[in-house]
Structure formats: structure tokens, C-alpha cells
Amino acid sequence: MVPLLLGITLISFVVIRLAPGEPVEAMTAMSPKITAETRQRLREFYGLDKPLHVQYATWLKQVATLDFGRSFAPDNRPVTDKIKERIPVTISLNLIALILEFGLAIPIGIFAATHRDTLYDKGITIFVFLGFAVPTFWLALLLMYFFGVKLGWLPISGLHSLGSETLSPMAWFVDLAKHLILPVSVATFGSLAGLSRYMRSNMLEVIRQDYITTARAKGLTERAVVYRHALRNALLPVITFLGFSLPGLIGGSVIFETIFAIPGMGQLFYQGVMGRDYPLVMGILVIGAFLTLVGNLLADLGYALADPRIRHGRG
Amino acid sequence: MGFRESWFHAVFWKRFRGNRLAVAGGCVVLLLFAVSLLAPYITPWDPHAIDAYHVLLPPSTDHWFGTDELGRDVFTRVVYGARISLKVGFVSVGIAVAIGVVLGLVSGFYGGIVDTVIMRFVDIMLCFPTFFLILAVIAFLEPSIWYIMAIIGLTGWMGVARLVRAEVLSLRERDFILAARALGASDARIIFRHILPNALSPVLVSATLGVAGAILTESALSFLGIGVQPPTPSWGNILTSGKDYIEFGWWLSLFPGLAILVTVLAYNLLGEGIRDALDPRLNR
Amino acid sequence: MTARLFCCLAALVTLVSCSGGAPPAELPRRGAGSPAYGDALVVGTIGEPSNLIPLLASDSASHDVAGNVFNGLVKYDKNLELVGDLAESWQVSPDGLTITFRLRKGVKWHDGTEFTSRDVLYTYRVTIDPKTPTAYAEDFKQVKSAEAPDRYTFRVTYGKPFAPALASWGAGILPAHLLEGKDITKSPLSRHPVGTGPYRFKEWIAGQKVVLEAFPDYFEGRPYIDRFVYRIIPDTSTMYLELKAGGLDMMGLTPVQYARQTDTPEFLARFNKFRYPASAYTYLGYNLRNPLFADRRVRQAIACAINKDEIVHGVLLGLGQVAHGPFKPGTWPYNPSVRDFGYDPARAKVLLAEAGWHAIGSDGILTKDGKPFSFTIFTNQGNDQRLKTAQIIQRRLAKVGIEVKIRVLEWASLLTNFIDKRNFDALIMGWTIPQDPDIFDVWHSSKTGPKELNFIGFKNAEVDRLIEEGRSTFDQEKRRRCYWRIQEILAQEQPYTFLFVPDALPVVSARFRGIEPAPAGITHNIIRWYVPKEEQVH
């Protein structure tokens, strides 16, 4: 855990240092009247006059107390504040998409496996891969145009309608849900392929195993075989897949947050990168990777709990 | 090797041919190669020929896919864009595969502390949202096509490394390896003659899917304005420049959009087909 | 005035607030209805404002919002004449060196405190304070002394006559009672401004919107429209779809949207389109320190090789005009008789040959002393028009044997790594054209230092003298002669090749009435815009 955290901070640090020019340059560029003295003060503040490893150590000490410094953007706010106000939006949005992804992809995968090589299977294959293959922003714009402008059924962008503060809690929630339909659909559609294919091959593998053959031989119905015996075992590895999906919870959202004007981490990160807001970029990289790490640990734990072999054997 | 070749013909090819989706994907991929190679013979137009007086013309017999916002022929740009998009796909995957194979082999073959260090590094890299890393590096450097390919490659090797390592671990104690070692073969010889060829099939699958991923990543970068830079046509930047005209200039986004869609789909189907055909467990 | 560099970035993306010269082509079609209070005006902004204290902000999103919250002492009216804003009147001493402002009485800050001369004095002092990181100190530094003899009088004295003096007092006045003695860079006002303007700050939801509400005690009367909402929408395509779906009430159209997408009866029934020349121009500037461009004939040749009509046609779809100098066509400093060389590729080749460039190789690229003629044009990201322009120029120059590469850079890095370090060959950029024609910051040879705005390194003794003369007299006829001569010199010297002045193409939902198109554009009387009761939606 600790070496992983160190590694994460080190890589974030290296990424930032790859950039040409000094962060202070970027910071003062927007205010040309800043004096040489101010610049020197900033250099000292950020420790840029010291050798690299000292800089890293200093920065690390700050990070250890969850202090990522102040943003270089003209608002000059603490990075942690900026991240805090953005994280809930991104995580909840992606969580909904993730739940939908699992809720849809697992049945789809099972269905495809049990109907292997039929037209259904082929149709499903093409459908889920279409979701993966279509450029997100293009699909998003087409849907916005169709449902938002042509049909006028759904709002186009943002999270709330104007004046939503005055709505009743129920109406407020409906309004929010309507805003979420398009972005969540786009995100979910794009991620169906991975999990459903994974589920399909797990299922196929399990079905061929001895105990399933035995179950069949005992004269159980195909339904019972599939759902009582095969499914349980095919579902286990899905927990690992959950671990792999976690970085996407935060990082997969730059494009659709930009296009749907959703104020999340992806958008913030993109702005930070474009504005050379180094403290912000480092902060998001570290926090994003840290959350993923925690998520992975939880997934491992979940796997151990769910799989008796690991619980009793190696674990 | 004789065994492998005959297996290839007898089993792999037969299985692959039986998967019509995969064959279709393969055909599309071959067609794309042909199009990229023959671009100048396919279209009479110059992809950079600007004509300010004929901008945003709808498709016609002269311009099959219409003209873009600078009066260039969209069909021609999509055809030449195939070159760029495929280049991005192949070079970046080549980099990823090279890194992944080397680290995976070393890690699996030597084990111990080497393995631990490499695998921890893989874990760390996997913690980062990949697109964030790509975005940060490319925006801080300059969005040249070489950087884009390099960064996509440098952030995409972890899966390959794990696959190769797993294969190596399963092969390492097998009889033919033990036999080779008993005969006094060097490490390098064992790795390159015996282990690598056997570990390559999952890599092939992963690479095929990786090409598709790289093409999508390039289009996402183009959308953010830091992909392949104009006037060089890539599907990503043609599509991006067309997104403002989705209602009235539909031809500008439809054709590059379809090109990406069909290509990525084809690579995925092809990759899956290869995987199924290679999988010894999936005997019918 | 030094804000011009920053303003230019966004100038061509949303031209709603820019001022113009000619009356617009189209007028509201619906009946007038009767003025009523209520409703909200929703506008889109691509970037989130960074800092709502106008002194500290350099992005147009911040200035757009702050413009409705703060007032200056003076402002430009709809005919682009300077009139009093927070100042009721002013007197200029006969020698032109002293201005005495008589301030309005009874003006309230949004928190209820009375506005007085102390606020003006504070604003002046904090602006010139070297610790304040602002880009707007330059004009105020010409002031020799400033004083506030009583609560409603403010007097400034200049060392020598300074023509842009009066206009410079259009800068937003800050509340001394909330800022004095505190560090302005850490003030909560940057996210929660308190001003004297027609709208007061209500809320700012990060990444989503900034909401202003009508200030009932505004000294010119309560605005009809109750709320002013800035929605943050980072993608231009999304913004346009939002407009069409009714989620936005006002935005600046692109030429393609204006000319090809919005002429449907359905659109015209719901929106009013406006069109007038923007106060901005786009240019190709050469780094004169680069030996490649040291020879005037080379610059002239490039000007000859570029077809400006083609650019206006291709990039603006004709919705703009060719530029010949740094002033706005139709205004008094603009010299209508100045024309540069016009599109003449044959002449370009002759000029290049005279300068020693000859085609040797089979690729047609000109060479001199064994070096090929090749250079890079830089431009900033996010401005589609500039990128298209660069590509058209690239093609045209290839035809006379010059190889051009294009590099599009994100704004901060273009500024830091290339412009500030003078490390570029040529660039395509834009300036907004200020109402006062003083062009000292951009063209005077003393402004070529690091981070200053004459980054191409233009030095011309006659232009220097004319600029100094032009800014140190109040006689418009004398000033006009200076600026007309400057344009002649620039057309010959070609330190920039001036490309075009685009049209501003704002569009406003048809439910808003009271819009009065004028030389200053449409937003000058925004507090008098209204929505008839029966059409209010918010």
C-alpha cells in the first residue's frame, strides 16, 4: 500500500516535471505586470530553486497532509476545495452508469452465452461493440440534437433546469433525472461491451466444466443448471472486473462532462491541464489514483469474501 | 514448429472461418489497408486543396462526401485520414506491445524481486485514469502525432505485461522448457525460442483490440483540440471540425464518424474472432 | 487598455458585448408588448469566470459578469460618446492636465453603503500598487496626483496631456469599505463581488452557472429583467443546441450558423439576429527580430501572396470585411484611402526575387544562401477562424514557394513559451479595437520589452513620434492626422498583414423587447430590455 502510494505520487510528479517551462512562468504569464521580486517569491514558495528530489520531498510532505497547495488559476483557491466540490458529481454520475452497466451487461452476457452462435448472440455482439466503437462526443451530439432539439423531450446539458431550486423535492429530483438520462446512457452504452463479453466467456467456460456436466447428467433442467450452478461461479470473476472499472469512474468522464457541461472532475482536470494549473493537475492525479487504489483493495476484499476458496485457502 | 503450423491450418483457420463476424471484421481491416496504401489512386483530389469559394457543399457526383469548411473534398480527407488513423493505431500499439512483452517476459521468467518490482509498477500505472495521464502529458508537450502515438503506447502496455507474465508462469515449469534448460539452453534462448512464441497469441488479441482503442483515443484527443493537428487529416479531427455542423452540414461528421465506428467495430470483431479461434478450451 | 491582449482571445468567439458601427440588418418582428418586470436572461459562456474583481481578471468571462456588477466613472453611450456613469459630470482644466469628477450622490453599493470619492481613490491606489497583480495599471500610472477633496469630488492631475485619460476612468470602481487595508488577492469579493451596477451578485455554482439579480436601488432605475444567468457550457456545439432548444437566450453566432443554419422561419420566429462590424481585427504578425522577416520586401511579398477576399469569403462567409490597418472602418481614426498591395502573386515573386529568394530545387521552394524559405505560423487554440485563416494562408504561400507550418497552442503556453520569449516566426492573432485610438502599447518602440505587447519588435521613429503626438493632444483633427499617417506607414512596412474585421453576429430570443441596435452594439441599454408579462418564462 505505502509503496504504491509513493509510486503514484512519484509518477504524478514526473508527469508534471516533463512540461517545458516553469509553473511560475505560467502563473505570472497572465499578469504581465508582476515583478521579478514576486516571481522570485513564488519560486521560493514552490521550492523551484532547489534540486528535483528536494522539491519532490517537500511536495510529498505537503501531500501527506492532503494539502495540494493553491490553484494557479486566477481564483487562487486551494486545490482541495476545488476538487471537493467536483468529486461528488463525477462519482455519483459514474456510479449510476456503473450500476446500469453491471445491471445490463451481466444479463446480456449470460443471454449471449446461453444462445451461443445464434443470431441473437451475433446481434448482441454487434450491438455492444457499436457502443464501444462510436466516438462518444459524436453520439452525444446526435442524441442531444435528436432528443433535445428535434423532439424536445430531454434537456440538453447541465444538471438542473433554471429555477429548479424552487421546485418541490420530487419535481427537483425528476428534473435532475431528466438531465442525467443522456449522459448516463452515453456512458453506459459505451461500457457495455467490456463486461458483457467478459461475462459471456466466463459463462461459456463454466458451462463446460465437470460439475455442470454432472448436474446435467442428474437430469436437472437447463434453466436450473444455468441459473443455479453456472451463474454463481461465472459471477465471481466479475468482482475483479469491478476493480478494473474504477479508474474509469473518475477518468472516463472528460469528454462527456465537456460536451454535456457537467461540472465534474474530468472537466476540472481538462481545464487544469489546458491552463497549466500544475497544483490542480497533480492533486487530481494523486487523488484519482488514490481512490482507485482504495477501490481495488475493496474489490479484492469483496472477492475474498465471496470466494470460499480464497477465504479458506490462500487468504 | 511443424506441429504448430499444422495446428494453425487445421484448427485455427477452420474455427476462424466459421465465425462470420470475425471474417467480416478481417475483410474490413484488409480493405482499410488497401485504401490507405492506394489513397492517391482512389481519389483525384488533393486532401489539402482549399477552395474558399466552395465551402460546405453537400455531397454530389464531384464530391462524394461533400466539401468541408475550407472547401476541401471530404471523401479525400477521409481516405487520407485512414492512413493517419491506422498509423496512430499501429505505432502506439507497437510501443505498448514491445514494452509489455519485455516487462512481462522478464517478470514472469525471473520471478522474485524483479517480478515484484515490475508488477508493483504495473499496479501503480493501473491506478491512474489512463486518459488523464495522456491528456496531461500531451497538453504539456505539444500535440504532434509522434507524441500522441508515444504517449498512448506508454500508457497502454500494462495489460500486455500481465498477459505475457501469466503465460510465462504457466509455461515455465512445462516439460519442454525444463527439457531445454536441462540441455543447457541459455535464458535468452529459452525466452525467445520457447516461451515467447507460445505467449504471443494472447498478445495478438490484445494488440488487435488495442488498435481500436488507440483510434478512439486519438478522436477523443482531437475533440479536445490536442489530437493530430490540422491540416493533416485524421478521422478524429475531421469529425471534430464537423461537429459544429451536425444539423446542416451532416456530411462533415457522418462520414468520418462512420469510418471510426466501422473500423473500431471491425478490429474488435477480428480480435474476438482470433481469441476464440486460439482458445483451446473452447472446443466444440 | 493593456487588457487588449487578453480580450482578444475570446473576442471572436462571443461577440455579443462588442461594439459596432453600423445599424444592424434586422429588427424585431413581434409587437412591442408593454414593459414589465420579471423573467431572466440566460447567456452561455465557454469558460468559467476566474475572478469577479475586474482589476484582477484577464479573461473575458469574468469581465462579462463583472461588467454588470460594477460601474466606472464614465462609460461609452450607444453612440460611442463618453458620458458620465458614476460621475455626474466632469471638468477638464484648460491645459488638459486636470480632470475634476463630480460624483453622483446617493449611489448605493449592493450592501447598502453609500458610494463616495473614497472608493474612487481606493480603486486608483490599489490599481497602481505594485503588489496588485493587475494588467490594467498602465493608464493610471500617467496620473501625477489624485485627491478626493470632499465626498462627491474626485480630482486627478496628469504630468503631461494624455488623450486616453478620460476613457481610462471607465474602469470598474471597487468598494473601499470592503477592501481597504486588506489583501485584495485574498478577498472574498473575487467570488462574491459587491458593486454599484444594475445587477447584484446572487450565486455562483462552480462549473454550472453564475446568477445575478436586479438591484432594485440602481441609480438609473431597477432593470426590467430580474435575473441575469451565465451558464457555463464548455463546448460550442452544445451551446448552439442549447440555444435552439430554448436553454439559452443569447449568444454570438459563427458565420456558418448565421448564414446557413438560422434562416429558417422557425428560427427567425423565435430569435432576432443582429449583424454589425465587431471592434476587432485579425492579423498575421511577423517577428521582426527574425532575419527572415527583416527585409521589408519579404513582408510585402507575403502580403501580395495572400488573398484577403478569399479569407473573408472562406472563413467569414462574407460576414466581415478586409482590414487594412489597426482602426475600425468608418470611425474617425480610420484612413479610408490606405490600401495595401492587394492580391498579386506575380508581384510577390518579383519582390522575393529582389530580396534574394530564388526557386532552385524541383519542389518549388524558394531558397537563399542554401536555406529554404520555411516558417511556422502560431495561433491559439479554440479559435476556429484563426486556424482556418492559417490553413488558407499556408496554401497561398506554398504557391509562391514559401513553406508554412502551423502550430496551434493552448493560450497560456503560446503566451509563456513563445510570445513572451519572442520565440516565434509569425502568428495569427487578434486585437480588440478600443474606442480611443491610442495604440501606444502595441506599436511604440518602447513597448518591445519582455512581456510587453509590441512583441513583434516593431521600431519606427516616425510612428513613435506620431503615437506620442496623438496621445498628448485633445484636438481630434490633430490626432486624426497622426493616425492617418501611421496607417500609411504600416501599410508600406507590413509589420502585420492586417487580415479582416469580422462582423459580430449576436442572436437574442424574440421575447426580449426594447433592444435598440446602435453603433455601440446591442447591450448598451440592457437594463431597459424587457419581456412582456404574457411571454415571461422564468
Side-chain angles (χ1 to χ4, degrees):
Chain A
M1 180 83 180
V2 173
L4 288 187
L5 277 178
L6 275 178
I8 286 170
T9 54
L10 188 64
I11 289 179
S12 309
F13 189 77
V14 168
V15 164
I16 303 298
R17 289 295 141 188
L18 279 179
E22 274 184 15
V24 170
E25 286 281 311
M27 186 176 182
T28 54
M30 301 310 278
S31 32
K33 306 295 180 213
I34 219 151
T35 59
E37 184 204 340
T38 322
R39 197 173 301 186
Q40 186 54 35
R41 238 186 11 241
L42 285 171
R43 280 183 62 96
E44 278 163 24
F45 180 76
Y46 289 106
L48 294 174
D49 43 355
K50 308 212 178 66
L52 267 183
H53 63 273
V54 181
Q55 285 181 39
Y56 174 64
T58 324
W59 177 71
L60 197 61
K61 237 180 270 167
Q62 267 189 308
V63 170
T65 60
L66 280 184
D67 176 10
F68 292 97
R70 278 173 180 273
S71 163
F72 279 2
D75 60 11
N76 199 27
R77 294 169 66 212
V79 167
T80 347
D81 284 6
K82 290 184 106 165
I83 295 178
K84 249 190 260 164
E85 70 192 11
R86 300 283 187 135
I87 261 191
V89 175
T90 295
I91 297 225
S92 29
L93 188 84
N94 284 319
L95 215 55
I96 299 173
L98 194 73
I99 292 169
L100 277 177
E101 179 195 339
F102 275 70
L104 288 173
I106 291 176
I108 288 179
I110 296 170
F111 185 84
T114 51
H115 294 77
R116 189 182 171 202
D117 291 334
T118 62
L119 269 181
Y120 290 117
D121 183 23
K122 298 216 154 80
I124 285 174
T125 308
I126 292 185
F127 174 76
V128 296
F129 276 134
L130 272 182
F132 176 77
V134 65
T136 321
F137 65 93
W138 187 46
L139 179 66
L141 278 171
L142 290 175
L143 292 178
M144 282 154 95
Y145 179 64
F146 190 69
F147 289 106
V149 177
K150 273 274 128 151
L151 296 176
W153 289 355
L154 294 171
I156 287 179
S157 68
L159 287 176
H160 305 283
S161 298
L162 216 59
S164 63
E165 314 80 60
T166 59
L167 296 174
S168 69
M170 191 58 209
W172 182 88
F173 184 77
V174 170
D175 177 61
L176 176 65
K178 272 181 150 180
H179 278 85
L180 288 180
I181 290 177
L182 286 183
V184 167
S185 313
V186 171
T188 310
F189 187 38
S191 58
L192 281 182
L195 181 59
S196 69
R197 300 308 284 173
Y198 186 68
M199 192 63 212
R200 177 180 178 270
S201 62
N202 280 343
M203 199 66 190
L204 286 178
E205 195 175 319
V206 171
I207 284 175
R208 279 181 299 100
Q209 278 174 7
D210 293 345
Y211 63 96
I212 298 290
T213 321
T214 320
R216 281 209 182 101
K218 281 197 302 191
L220 289 177
T221 60
E222 190 63 23
R223 258 189 107 72
V225 171
V226 169
Y227 291 104
R228 206 169 305 153
H229 295 270
L231 187 55
R232 239 188 84 87
N233 291 291
L235 273 177
L236 260 184
V238 167
I239 299 178
T240 331
F241 194 90
L242 189 63
F244 282 116
S245 315
L246 289 171
L249 264 188
I250 292 159
S253 43
V254 181
I255 304 290
F256 71 77
E257 283 183 2
T258 306
I259 197 115
F260 285 111
I262 292 170
M265 290 269 275
Q267 219 192 74
L268 185 69
F269 186 78
Y270 177 55
Q271 286 161 2
V273 162
M274 296 321 273
R276 312 217 152 206
D277 190 343
Y278 298 87
L280 184 68
V281 171
M282 288 210 253
I284 296 184
L285 277 179
V286 172
I287 290 186
F290 175 72
L291 289 180
T292 308
L293 188 62
V294 172
N296 273 330
L297 285 178
L298 289 179
D300 284 353
L301 217 66
Y303 195 93
L305 286 177
D307 187 347
R309 280 171 304 183
I310 294 188
R311 196 168 49 205
H312 298 302
R314 288 173 276 160
Chain B
M1 280 314 189
F3 162 74
R4 293 183 60 80
E5 271 161 35
S6 60
W7 179 85
F8 179 83
H9 285 295
V11 185
F12 174 81
W13 192 236
K14 189 166 147 256
R15 281 192 194 159
F16 185 80
R17 260 191 332 204
N19 185 341
R20 284 209 214 117
L21 288 181
V23 173
C27 290
V28 170
V29 170
L30 286 179
L31 183 74
L32 281 170
F33 278 116
V35 165
S36 328
L37 284 175
L38 301 175
Y41 304 99
I42 293 175
T43 162
W45 302 93
D46 172 347
H48 303 298
I50 285 169
D51 181 350
Y53 297 92
H54 294 96
V55 301
L56 296 166
L57 294 180
S60 64
T61 45
D62 267 358
H63 300 285
W64 295 351
F65 290 1
T67 64
D68 72 359
E69 75 281 8
L70 285 171
R72 295 170 298 200
D73 183 58
V74 176
F75 175 70
T76 306
R77 288 182 68 75
V78 170
V79 164
Y80 279 85
R83 288 184 169 184
I84 303 299
S85 294
L86 293 184
K87 186 157 123 189
V88 169
F90 275 89
V91 176
S92 53
V93 165
I95 295 171
V97 165
I99 300 175
V101 164
V102 169
L103 290 184
L105 281 176
V106 169
S107 183
F109 188 79
Y110 291 103
I113 182 78
V114 179
D115 183 35
T116 312
V117 169
I118 292 178
M119 282 303 115
R120 280 299 82 80
F121 186 45
V122 168
D123 288 342
I124 292 168
M125 287 296 288
L126 281 174
C127 279
F128 286 102
T130 315
F131 196 65
F132 273 19
L133 278 186
I134 295 175
L135 203 61
V137 177
I138 290 181
F140 286 161
L141 298 171
E142 58 181 285
S144 88
I145 183 167
W146 298 105
Y147 278 128
I148 289 172
M149 296 187 296
I151 305 301
I152 296 179
L154 285 173
T155 51
W157 53 269
M158 290 83 76
V160 176
R162 280 191 162 175
L163 274 176
V164 172
R165 174 176 172 273
E167 285 294 320
V168 175
L169 286 182
S170 79
L171 290 170
R172 202 168 57 172
E173 306 304 326
R174 293 265 277 279
D175 292 344
F176 69 100
I177 305 287
L178 296 176
R181 187 164 289 163
L183 289 174
S186 67
D187 283 0
R189 192 179 160 80
I190 293 176
I191 290 180
F192 287 106
R193 279 310 292 260
H194 300 288
I195 293 185
L196 188 56
N198 285 295
L200 272 185
S201 43
V203 172
L204 180 66
V205 175
S206 160
T208 315
L209 300 178
V211 172
I215 291 173
L216 280 176
T217 304
E218 191 280 322
S219 78
L221 290 172
S222 277
F223 167 73
L224 296 175
I226 50 180
V228 173
Q229 295 298 294
T232 309
S234 79
W235 290 339
N237 67 27
I238 306 172
L239 178 57
T240 300
S241 69
K243 82 182 166 62
D244 283 334
Y245 318 111
I246 215 155
E247 177 186 7
F248 135 85
W250 50 270
W251 57 90
L252 244 174
S253 51
L254 180 69
F255 297 112
L258 281 181
I260 295 175
L261 185 99
V262 170
T263 307
V264 173
L265 188 63
Y267 272 99
N268 273 301
L269 294 174
L270 177 65
E272 285 245 328
I274 298 175
R275 168 157 52 206
D276 284 356
L278 283 174
D279 191 344
R281 293 165 304 187
L282 281 184
N283 277 321
R284 294 174 200 230
Chain C
M1 296 255 296
T2 31
R4 284 178 296 198
L5 179 64
F6 307 110
C7 292
C8 68
L9 170 67
L12 299 182
V13 183
T14 46
L15 278 168
V16 176
S17 55
C18 258
S19 47
E26 285 152 78
L27 289 164
R29 261 166 298 275
R30 293 192 199 170
S34 54
Y37 292 106
D39 214 336
L41 177 70
V42 188
V43 299
T45 165
I46 289 184
E48 180 158 16
S50 60
N51 191 323
L52 294 180
I53 298 179
L55 189 62
L56 303 179
S58 48
D59 58 305
S60 65
S62 302
H63 283 283
D64 282 350
V65 178
N68 282 317
V69 176
F70 293 95
N71 295 95
L73 293 183
V74 296
K75 67 175 181 188
Y76 285 101
D77 72 357
K78 62 178 179 178
N79 296 315
L80 299 173
E81 305 286 339
L82 273 176
V83 294
D85 197 4
L86 285 173
E88 207 167 52
S89 63
W90 63 85
Q91 263 186 328
V92 181
S93 65
D95 59 3
L97 293 179
T98 304
I99 310 177
T100 308
F101 292 98
R102 191 140 296 282
L103 306 182
R104 272 178 208 268
K105 289 181 183 136
V107 173
K108 291 252 177 27
W109 290 100
H110 293 157
D111 63 1
T113 314
E114 199 196 4
F115 157 81
T116 66
S117 57
R118 175 184 159 215
D119 299 308
V120 187
L121 195 60
Y122 167 75
T123 304
Y124 162 71
R125 284 186 181 148
V126 74
T127 307
I128 57 163
D129 185 337
K131 285 205 288 293
T132 307
T134 179
Y136 311 105
E138 206 49 43
D139 286 348
F140 282 178
K141 282 185 181 155
Q142 308 291 327
V143 173
K144 201 172 72 181
S145 69
E147 54 181 340
D150 63 55
R151 280 170 72 79
Y152 303 108
T153 310
F154 178 72
R155 185 175 297 132
V156 275
T157 309
Y158 290 82
K160 51 183 190 244
F162 183 54
L166 192 54
S168 73
W169 290 98
I173 301 298
L174 302 169
H177 66 284
L178 295 173
L179 286 164
E180 211 156 31
K182 294 175 186 147
D183 182 354
I184 191 168
T185 60
K186 299 219 165 68
S187 166
L189 261 66
S190 58
R191 290 189 69 77
H192 192 133
V194 175
T196 51
Y199 284 91
R200 74 177 162 203
F201 178 84
K202 179 154 178 262
E203 61 175 341
W204 177 349
I205 301 176
Q208 297 187 46
K209 59 180 176 181
V210 178
V211 181
L212 308 178
E213 61 184 1
F215 181 42
D217 296 333
Y218 186 52
F219 60 82
E220 286 183 337
R222 171 181 160 192
Y224 283 120
I225 299 168
D226 271 351
R227 276 177 304 155
F228 217 114
V229 183
Y230 296 85
R231 283 188 58 186
I232 298 152
I233 300 176
D235 186 77
T236 48
S237 314
T238 309
M239 206 185 273
Y240 178 66
L241 291 179
E242 272 288 4
L243 180 85
K244 288 202 67 164
L248 292 179
D249 295 322
M250 177 160 100
M251 75 179 269
L253 295 179
T254 65
V256 175
Q257 285 163 352
Y258 185 92
R260 303 266 183 101
Q261 286 176 275
T262 51
D263 275 336
T264 60
E266 190 258 344
F267 190 91
L268 293 175
R270 291 175 51 212
F271 295 96
N272 288 313
K273 282 161 64 171
F274 300 90
R275 176 185 170 193
Y276 44 83
S279 290
Y281 65 87
T282 298
Y283 62 88
L284 171 67
Y286 311 101
N287 186 350
L288 302 177
R289 298 169 193 81
N290 187 327
L292 212 49
F293 302 115
D295 190 328
R296 185 174 77 175
R297 286 170 301 192
V298 170
R299 305 192 301 264
Q300 291 173 339
I302 294 176
C304 290
I306 295 173
N307 184 347
K308 294 183 189 178
D309 281 320
E310 175 189 55
I311 295 174
V312 169
H313 207 96
V315 176
L316 304 176
L317 297 175
L319 299 169
Q321 52 195 313
V322 166
H324 296 282
F327 302 112
K328 185 165 165 179
T331 58
W332 63 265
Y334 178 79
N335 183 345
S337 60
V338 170
R339 289 281 175 274
D340 55 23
F341 311 90
Y343 177 54
D344 190 350
R347 182 162 171 204
K349 283 183 187 155
V350 173
L351 283 165
L352 286 165
E354 280 173 22
W357 293 96
H358 300 284
I360 294 169
S362 56
D363 56 358
I365 293 181
L366 299 174
T367 49
K368 180 179 174 181
D369 308 329
K371 276 196 203 131
F373 198 149
S374 168
F375 71 96
T376 304
I377 295 180
F378 288 78
T379 190
N380 65 290
Q381 198 181 57
N383 192 313
D384 208 31
Q385 293 182 357
R386 289 178 198 162
L387 181 55
K388 286 183 194 169
T389 305
Q391 294 182 62
I392 292 177
I393 289 176
Q394 182 182 43
R395 283 298 284 187
R396 282 293 163 196
L397 293 188
K399 293 208 169 125
V400 296
I402 299 173
E403 185 192 37
V404 173
K405 298 191 189 88
I406 299 173
R407 234 181 120 180
V408 185
L409 283 156
E410 170 274 322
W411 185 241
S413 106
L414 176 63
L415 212 58
T416 316
N417 298 320
F418 299 95
I419 295 183
D420 285 349
K421 296 196 174 127
R422 312 308 193 217
N423 177 22
F424 63 91
D425 301 335
L427 31 83
I428 293 180
M429 299 267 281
W431 290 116
T432 53
I433 307 171
Q435 295 312 324
D436 188 281
D438 178 33
I439 50 175
F440 190 88
D441 285 334
V442 179
W443 295 102
H444 196 271
S445 65
S446 68
K447 287 291 176 183
T448 55
K451 303 212 172 221
E452 288 181 315
L453 301 188
N454 185 353
F455 38 71
I456 60 162
F458 179 68
K459 288 179 184 169
N460 182 302
E462 191 183 354
V463 170
D464 279 0
R465 192 177 50 71
L466 289 163
I467 290 175
E468 286 160 29
E469 204 180 312
R471 76 191 321 221
S472 57
T473 172
F474 294 96
D475 181 338
Q476 200 177 89
E477 186 47 33
K478 271 191 201 157
R479 294 188 80 189
R480 189 183 60 76
R481 279 201 297 274
C482 294
Y483 297 123
W484 281 33
R485 175 72 192 128
I486 288 175
Q487 283 162 84
E488 287 167 14
I489 299 170
L490 293 181
Q492 273 307 308
E493 290 290 326
Q494 289 289 318
Y496 286 177
T497 294
F498 298 93
L499 298 171
F500 57 81
V501 174
D503 284 346
L505 305 168
V507 60
V508 185
S509 165
R511 71 177 198 276
F512 292 91
R513 311 295 158 75
I515 302 176
E516 244 183 73
I522 59 169
T523 53
H524 58 90
N525 70 333
I526 208 150
I527 66 167
R528 291 284 153 257
W529 290 15
Y530 63 91
V531 180
K533 204 86 205 162
E534 58 280 9
E535 289 184 45
Q536 295 187 354
V537 297
H538 290 300

